[in-house]
Amino acid sequence: MRCLTMLILLWATVLPSAAVEPMEDALARLTRENEALTARVAKLEAALEKIQTQLGAGQSEIKVPSAPILTEATPSPELPPKPPLVELYGFVEVDVTRDFNNNDLGFPFGSSLDNRLFDISAQPTRFGLKLHGPKIAGGIPTGKVEMDFNTSTGTETSPNLRLRHAFFRIDWPGSGYGFLAGQTYDVIAPLQTDTISYPVENWTGDFGFRRPQVRIEKTFNLSEKSSLLLQGSLSKASSDVYVAPDGSAAELVRIPVLQGRVALDCPVFGEQRSTFGFYGHWGRDTYNIAPGGANATLRTWSAGFDALVWFSPRFMLMVEGWRGKTMDTYFWWDGRVMTSMAEQNYYDNVITAGGWATLTYKHSPKLRFNIGSGFDNPLEQTTYLDEDEYSLTSFLNFFYDIDAHWEIGAELSNWMTKKESGQEERKWRAQATFMYFF
């Protein structure tokens, strides 16, 4: 650039021209142009030096547009897979039992028929089918058929099947309505305790069972974390066949029974939701006192409550309590306590009360402990036999899930019955269980 400037100055100095401006003015103009060119050259050199420095240090901030990176389109959220139409489930259970008293469990007085001191049984083994169908009338249909071998019929090594559940239900989630028809748990006394020994709280304190019924229910969502459930059913009453003192048949003629329950579901301690329910039933029983002869019609009713309370993610309490009349309708463990025959061929109502409670501690996702107790107390006594004044049971157990399929557990239970005569009978039982779920 400087060479070019010198050439221009030389050209301006030596090139003759008559028409050019005076020498002094030409020199001044050329000086200004030279200064301007020099300044521009300096700016260009500084810019070039800056670019070279940035490139050499690898810190260039020059943003060069790049071709867009082609990526796969983000898949839209997938709907949950539809359940299979038929799903098999169940478990194989083997229980080992040691009785420490030579008497019946459930009827703890001396017996020559059922006083085994040691037993191994696979009768609790259970299997079933879960059913899922296509929508009908806007509702979602489901169903269940479930059976086990826990019966007193057949032989110890070849027991007969027992039907536990056989029902279908349709739910309309948008409206909160539900409909059920078939055999499943009662609307009343709905909670199930966690025991190995079946009679511990099912024969004292808990009269809920599985019966054929037609049920309608409605759920009201009170908030995001609370709801109210209304249930009503028409169910089949079930009981035994009795024999009157003179030997004549005394058979229950089964009449449908009304059951109802209202339950509030809401968090009380922490985020887990607890449930508080009130229930009852009403119906009539007709007893044939003698074949082709007179009969007696008795009312049966109950009123009770149930609660499932989470105190924390580890502690949970289940409680039921009730009072009722003519409760042999509900397989109460000794029907003669509930239905009095004060004299030959005579039936009368008997009022009784009962309940149970179980406290559960979940030590970990695999290990849980349970402790509980149940009782029944006939408030009106019969006079033709030495009947029970009250019965009381208690138990302590644990269950450990080895993995998703295997579970083991152990339990110690006690049963005490006091007679009107003052006699007391006790029974201690220890059990271990081994279960494989499929």
Side-chain angles (χ1 to χ4, degrees):
M1 289 295 181
R2 294 181 181 181
C3 293
L4 179 61
T5 303
M6 293 177 66
L7 288 174
I8 293 174
L9 291 175
L10 181 62
W11 176 81
T13 303
V14 300
L15 192 64
S17 176
V20 296
E21 55 196 352
M23 183 62 67
E24 293 82 5
D25 295 335
L27 289 173
R29 179 176 57 79
L30 291 174
T31 300
R32 290 193 300 271
E33 291 176 353
N34 181 59
E35 292 175 353
L37 289 172
T38 302
R40 292 183 62 187
V41 170
K43 288 183 178 180
L44 290 173
E45 289 178 343
L48 180 60
E49 184 178 359
K50 183 177 180 180
I51 291 173
Q52 291 175 340
T53 302
Q54 292 177 345
L55 291 176
Q59 299 176 352
S60 177
E61 297 180 0
I62 299 176
K63 297 181 179 180
V64 180
S66 59
I69 300 175
L70 299 178
T71 60
E72 297 182 359
T74 303
S76 58
E78 295 183 358
L79 297 175
K82 292 184 178 180
L85 294 179
V86 179
E87 183 180 359
L88 176 66
Y89 72 95
F91 55 82
V92 177
E93 179 176 349
V94 178
D95 293 345
V96 180
T97 303
R98 176 70 166 87
D99 289 339
F100 296 97
N101 305 90
N102 189 22
N103 53 39
D104 278 350
L105 181 66
F107 304 90
F109 46 82
S111 170
S112 60
L113 299 178
D114 187 14
N115 55 9
R116 294 184 296 261
L117 299 180
F118 177 79
D119 188 31
I120 298 179
S121 176
Q123 288 184 230
T125 295
R126 186 182 307 174
F127 64 92
L129 300 175
K130 294 180 181 179
L131 311 175
H132 306 272
K135 284 189 175 182
I136 177 172
I140 302 175
T142 57
K144 179 187 288 187
V145 177
E146 183 179 287
M147 291 176 285
D148 66 14
F149 302 90
N150 211 3
T151 68
S152 58
T153 59
T155 65
E156 290 187 3
T157 56
S158 299
N160 294 332
L161 279 173
R162 179 180 69 159
L163 182 65
R164 291 175 51 87
H165 298 277
F167 69 88
F168 73 88
R169 64 174 297 148
I170 304 175
D171 292 286
W172 290 267
S175 64
Y177 281 99
F179 173 81
L180 181 146
Q183 177 172 307
T184 189
Y185 289 116
D186 288 319
V187 168
I188 57 179
L191 301 182
Q192 307 296 319
T193 191
D194 194 10
T195 62
I196 300 175
S197 181
Y198 173 77
V200 168
E201 287 189 359
N202 285 277
W203 288 2
T204 52
D206 186 4
F207 69 91
F209 203 66
R210 300 173 298 274
R211 295 178 176 83
Q213 59 187 275
V214 177
R215 180 193 304 180
I216 298 176
E217 57 188 44
K218 165 68 173 176
T219 300
F220 299 90
N221 292 319
L222 305 180
S223 68
E224 293 183 355
K225 296 183 179 181
S226 62
S227 61
L228 184 70
L229 174 64
L230 300 181
Q231 296 175 299
S233 71
L234 185 66
S235 67
K236 179 180 179 180
S238 305
S239 190
D240 299 323
V241 176
Y242 302 106
V243 179
D246 65 349
S248 61
E251 183 178 358
L252 172 65
V253 177
R254 298 180 177 95
I255 300 174
V257 175
L258 295 174
Q259 297 185 6
R261 179 173 177 261
V262 55
L264 177 65
D265 191 55
C266 62
V268 178
F269 304 97
E271 296 296 323
Q272 290 179 287
R273 296 170 69 163
S274 301
T275 303
F276 305 90
F278 295 92
Y279 58 80
H281 85 273
W282 184 91
R284 292 184 301 171
D285 297 340
T286 299
Y287 294 84
N288 294 328
I289 296 177
N295 58 64
T297 299
L298 308 178
R299 288 189 177 91
T300 173
W301 60 263
S302 71
F305 71 91
D306 61 87
L308 190 156
V309 183
W310 285 98
F311 296 103
S312 72
R314 293 191 175 187
F315 283 96
M316 185 262 290
L317 176 68
M318 291 190 294
V319 181
E320 285 187 354
W322 54 270
R323 177 187 175 103
K325 178 179 284 191
T326 320
M327 295 299 291
D328 63 313
T329 306
Y330 284 85
F331 273 143
W332 204 240
W333 67 271
D334 189 349
R336 294 170 300 180
V337 175
M338 310 308 167
T339 302
S340 170
M341 290 184 284
E343 59 185 45
Q344 186 173 351
N345 296 341
Y346 178 77
Y347 281 65
D348 198 1
N349 300 93
V350 173
I351 297 177
T352 190
W356 62 272
T358 297
L359 179 65
T360 300
Y361 170 63
K362 293 188 175 182
H363 179 74
S364 68
K366 292 179 174 291
L367 179 62
R368 67 187 186 275
F369 296 88
N370 299 286
I371 184 171
S373 183
F375 79 97
D376 70 76
N377 184 9
L379 304 180
E380 297 178 357
Q381 303 296 327
T382 62
T383 58
Y384 77 104
L385 286 174
D386 181 17
E387 293 295 349
D388 300 340
E389 185 174 338
Y390 65 86
S391 292
L392 179 67
T393 60
S394 57
F395 72 92
L396 172 67
N397 65 31
F398 80 89
F399 295 92
Y400 180 74
D401 298 331
I402 299 174
D403 55 27
H405 297 285
W406 293 95
E407 182 179 77
I408 59 174
E411 179 175 281
L412 179 65
S413 61
N414 174 261
W415 188 304
M416 191 276 288
T417 298
K418 184 178 180 180
K419 300 291 184 178
E420 284 186 295
S421 62
Q423 179 185 1
E424 289 187 1
E425 294 286 349
R426 293 182 178 271
K427 188 176 190 71
W428 287 92
R429 167 174 284 189
Q431 285 184 285
T433 187
F434 306 88
M435 305 175 69
Y436 175 77
F437 292 84
F438 57 87

